[in-house]
Amino acid sequence: MTIETAIAPPRARWAVLPPSYLAMAWLLLLSLAVRWPYLGDPAPDYDEQLYSLVGIRMLEGAVPYVDIWDRKPYGLFLLFAAIHWVGGPHPLAYQAAAVVFAAFGGWLVFRIARVLSDGPGAVLSGALYIIGLTLFRVQSGQSEVFYLPVALGMLLLTIPLLQQRELTRLQRGSAAIMLLGGVLLQLKYTALPQCLFFGATCLWLQWRAGANLGRLVRFAAAAALLGIVPTLLVALYYLRLGAIESFAYANFLSIFERGGLSAEYMAFYGMIVAICAFPYVALALAGMVRARRALAGRPRAVWVLVALWTLANVIGFAMIGNIYIHYFAPVLPGLILMASPFLGQGITGRVIGGLTLAFSLFLANFSSQIATSQSNRAGIARLTSLIAPHVDRQDACLFVFDGPTQLYRTTGSCLPTRYVYPDHLSNSMEADAIGTDSVAELKRVLASRPAVIVTASKPVVPRYNPQAASLIEDAVTRDYRRIGSVSFFPRHLHVNLRRDLTAAP
């Protein structure tokens, strides 16, 4: 039995519903179209460059948090390693996977929206999801494009349980949801409020079905265990390696020692989020009005479930304290699903939904995306040609103080430090949050005499660590000479060669 027949009343079973496979094909084409500008771009954004590098180095035997450091969950790096194992080391591998994941997420939105809307309204919901990801800076390989389908899968599994009264079936369905939650946490820890929400929902459904206190307590303990099984398996792996402290610090402690964005940056990013989110929030409010007026019985319960899930995502967005634009992306599918009753309300809902789609495309500014991507490709190619002749995988290392992490792959360089993400040694926010003295680590890197150091005309981070910036400036002035500068939006990147080395022609 499908979720449509399980939940929707007879009047909502529209004969015009397009088959799911046709919707999936259309959404896949849409996902390919909106992500096309970045396919093959070696440096589309900052974070996924590191995820990709970690995944590639894992295939060569490197251990995250020990040999190469970041605070993201192991499961995310494992996913990128699997993608590169299948598709090779080029960025196109994870970007093509992201096209499929975005389309699959859009299809899940479509499937859930069919409970609350007609066929065209559900297809429009899926399309808004795919366009919205790009609007909120999840245009290439950010973690949100990979973990949101898992979260939507949890929502999809919960919907049929709303009408279930048989405790054994409720517990089986709930166990599957909790296990998916464990996978979700290994892709993004800020999904914790979602996991807690689904756990509480499953407990409430069992209480409603007549479960006594003892049974609820036993299930809560089992659900918590299922939810941490993937993370526990990773922890056991690091315990066996003798690196459990490195794993624990990176995953659970370092984020609390990270500094905050300045008030200016918080206001700027908050303004962008507000502008981009406004039409989706307005649509969600219209969907609420439509749901109260037109939906009866079980579909209304589905709408309330979606609304509460959206609130859990808002908590996840706010829980870190710093505002980044892509952090809002998990709120997006909930807002769209809340809007789906309105999007299916005849010509009015479809026209306004179509206008929102057009507005999102306008804000995404694809002409600018294409120009930036072309500039990125040319910039990386030029930087690689300047750097590659002077570095190798043994001891002549590149050090990117500020610039694309992707250069470590394209130049074939060894890694001079496990903190290869430039932010970790250059950003004042990270000074006390990487598990070691960042200035001391930078001194160690400079003492190893990297063959090439890449610096920038201006920081892309909110503020350089002043001690780190001073160390780099002194070292580059004293021991290096600039052999080239490359325009790399929104600044210039400088290639500095050690003075005792001869520049390649």
Side-chain angles (χ1 to χ4, degrees):
M1 179 181 291
T2 65
I3 61 169
E4 295 85 27
T5 57
I7 301 298
R11 63 182 176 80
R13 299 175 195 156
W14 292 84
V16 295
L17 284 177
S20 289
Y21 66 87
L22 290 179
M24 182 65 202
W26 188 84
L27 292 170
L28 182 59
L29 288 174
L30 178 63
S31 179
L32 179 63
V34 300
R35 290 173 175 272
W36 183 265
Y38 287 104
L39 290 179
D41 185 343
D45 209 332
Y46 301 101
D47 294 344
E48 57 259 47
Q49 292 182 58
L50 178 65
Y51 308 154
S52 176
L53 180 64
V54 175
I56 292 169
R57 293 301 172 110
M58 285 175 70
L59 296 177
E60 300 171 358
V63 178
Y65 320 123
V66 176
D67 301 313
I68 184 167
W69 196 90
D70 195 50
R71 59 174 59 88
K72 298 297 188 296
Y74 184 88
L76 181 63
F77 300 136
L78 187 62
L79 174 62
F80 270 78
I83 290 170
H84 284 301
W85 181 74
V86 173
H90 196 275
L92 184 59
Y94 75 77
Q95 290 160 2
V99 169
V100 176
F101 272 78
F104 183 56
W107 181 78
L108 290 172
V109 169
F110 159 79
R111 290 280 293 167
I112 298 167
R114 285 180 68 175
V115 180
L116 300 167
S117 181
D118 66 1
V123 172
L124 185 55
S125 297
L128 283 168
Y129 170 82
I130 290 171
I131 300 296
L133 286 180
T134 303
L135 182 62
F136 286 97
R137 307 286 176 87
V138 188
Q139 74 274 19
S140 181
Q142 278 284 11
S143 60
E144 284 77 9
V145 73
F146 296 109
Y147 85 74
L148 277 175
V150 181
L152 286 162
M154 295 174 72
L155 180 62
L156 187 68
L157 290 177
T158 305
I159 290 173
L161 300 185
L162 295 177
Q163 64 169 356
Q164 184 60 252
R165 292 296 191 274
E166 207 280 307
L167 275 173
T168 301
R169 292 184 179 180
L170 267 175
Q171 289 193 329
R172 287 174 182 171
S174 299
I177 293 166
M178 291 300 97
L179 194 55
L180 266 184
V183 174
L184 183 62
L185 286 175
Q186 270 303 300
L187 296 175
K188 190 82 169 183
Y189 286 127
T190 51
L192 178 62
Q194 296 187 57
C195 296
L196 294 175
F197 164 72
F198 283 116
T201 300
C202 290
L203 283 172
W204 178 78
L205 289 172
Q206 292 176 51
W207 172 82
R208 187 190 62 176
N212 58 38
L213 180 60
R215 190 164 186 169
L216 289 175
V217 170
R218 287 193 298 272
F219 175 79
L225 180 60
L226 283 172
I228 66 170
V229 159
T231 302
L232 185 60
L233 290 175
V234 176
L236 290 174
Y237 166 68
Y238 277 91
L239 183 63
R240 183 179 179 184
L241 290 179
I244 189 64
E245 291 183 1
S246 296
F247 165 76
Y249 179 79
N251 282 259
F252 308 121
L253 302 177
S254 65
I255 190 63
F256 298 106
E257 298 180 353
R258 192 181 187 204
L261 284 169
S262 66
E264 292 80 9
Y265 269 85
M266 291 279 281
F268 176 67
Y269 290 150
M271 179 186 66
I272 293 176
V273 168
I275 292 172
C276 294
F278 175 77
Y280 293 94
V281 173
L283 281 179
L285 293 174
M288 178 176 67
V289 173
R290 173 65 178 168
R292 292 176 65 183
R293 289 179 179 177
L295 293 178
R298 287 167 293 185
R300 185 178 294 175
V302 175
W303 193 93
V304 172
L305 175 72
V306 169
L308 293 174
W309 175 62
T310 305
L311 178 60
N313 281 320
V314 171
I315 294 172
F317 164 68
M319 66 185 290
I320 298 301
N322 290 325
I323 294 178
Y324 292 101
I325 297 167
H326 65 279
Y327 281 16
F328 193 80
V331 183
L332 185 66
L335 292 175
I336 293 169
L337 288 169
M338 289 171 66
S340 58
F342 175 72
L343 297 175
Q345 188 183 16
I347 191 68
T348 302
R350 292 169 198 171
V351 167
I352 294 178
L355 289 174
T356 303
L357 198 66
F359 179 68
S360 298
L361 287 169
F362 169 76
L363 288 180
N365 195 355
F366 281 96
S367 61
S368 174
Q369 287 188 33
I370 292 170
T372 300
S373 179
Q374 291 174 341
S375 175
N376 287 349
R377 296 167 204 254
I380 290 288
R382 177 61 178 154
L383 288 164
T384 300
S385 69
L386 287 168
I387 297 167
H390 308 291
V391 299
D392 57 39
R393 291 296 294 270
Q394 281 73 49
D395 53 8
C397 293
L398 162 70
F399 175 53
V400 181
F401 176 74
D402 191 358
T405 312
Q406 185 67 211
L407 288 173
Y408 288 110
R409 181 193 70 85
T410 61
T411 62
S413 171
C414 50
L415 305 182
T417 173
R418 64 177 180 154
Y419 303 100
V420 293
Y421 190 54
D423 255 21
H424 292 153
L425 296 183
S426 66
N427 194 341
S428 60
M429 290 172 56
E430 298 283 357
D432 300 315
I434 63 172
T436 191
D437 185 326
S438 60
V439 173
E441 176 64 11
L442 181 58
K443 289 179 179 178
R444 189 199 65 77
V445 171
L446 294 174
S448 71
R449 305 182 73 233
V452 177
I453 296 177
V454 173
T455 56
S457 59
K458 61 179 180 179
V460 75
V461 299
R463 188 169 69 94
Y464 281 150
N465 181 334
Q467 290 178 277
S470 177
L471 280 172
I472 282 292
E473 184 179 358
D474 290 346
V476 167
T477 301
R478 181 181 64 249
D479 301 324
Y480 291 78
R481 57 195 173 94
R482 187 177 300 174
I483 60 171
S485 293
V486 177
S487 176
F488 200 89
F489 182 81
R491 63 253 176 90
H492 284 79
L493 300 180
H494 307 311
V495 179
N496 306 284
L497 179 68
R498 211 172 65 216
R499 288 187 182 277
D500 62 318
L501 299 177
T502 303

